[in-house]
Amino acid sequence: DERKNHRKPNQRLEDIGAIAPNPQPRRSATDEGMKTEIPVEILKAAHFTLYWAMVYCRNYTAGRSANPRVVYDMMDSIHEIPNILDQWGTYDNNIEKLRMYFGCFDHKKWNKPDDLIQAPDLVAVFNRKLDELKK
């Protein structure tokens, strides 16, 4: 049944197996005093790129023939971005890692010539916005 994984009103995500119960919180770099300040241009460009990815997914899934694998690949690509921004400057959390994750979404794989909505190149979206903000 297609609807078996949909939750009912007031049903917790843990109860349908959508997320693990009681997930362990990640250690925050701020707890250890190692975090560095993220440049505001990078933060704004990353937020804009996440926004663009979410708008694409919303618009893409509005069609009846939407392939759920496209949305899965997009979300798989961007799910670590908030954590990278939160722990900026620790371990390997830097601009190259942001670009690597944005680049994990292979827009060319999903774009078809007759698609009304083309999958975005998230690295290009990020770089364009960053260049615009640095001017």
Side-chain angles (χ1 to χ4, degrees), residues 121-134:
D121 177 347
L122 298 179
V123 175
V125 171
F126 176 76
N127 288 337
R128 273 193 307 271
K129 188 64 174 179
L130 187 58
D131 289 345
E132 174 189 312
L133 292 166
K134 286 183 174 182

Side-chain angles (χ1 to χ4, degrees), residues 24 32 35 40 46 52 55-56 62 65 106-107 131:
Q24 295 296 317
E32 300 171 18
K35 186 175 176 180
V40 69
W52 195 260
V55 168
Y56 167 75
S65 62
D106 184 3
H107 66 285
D131 289 345

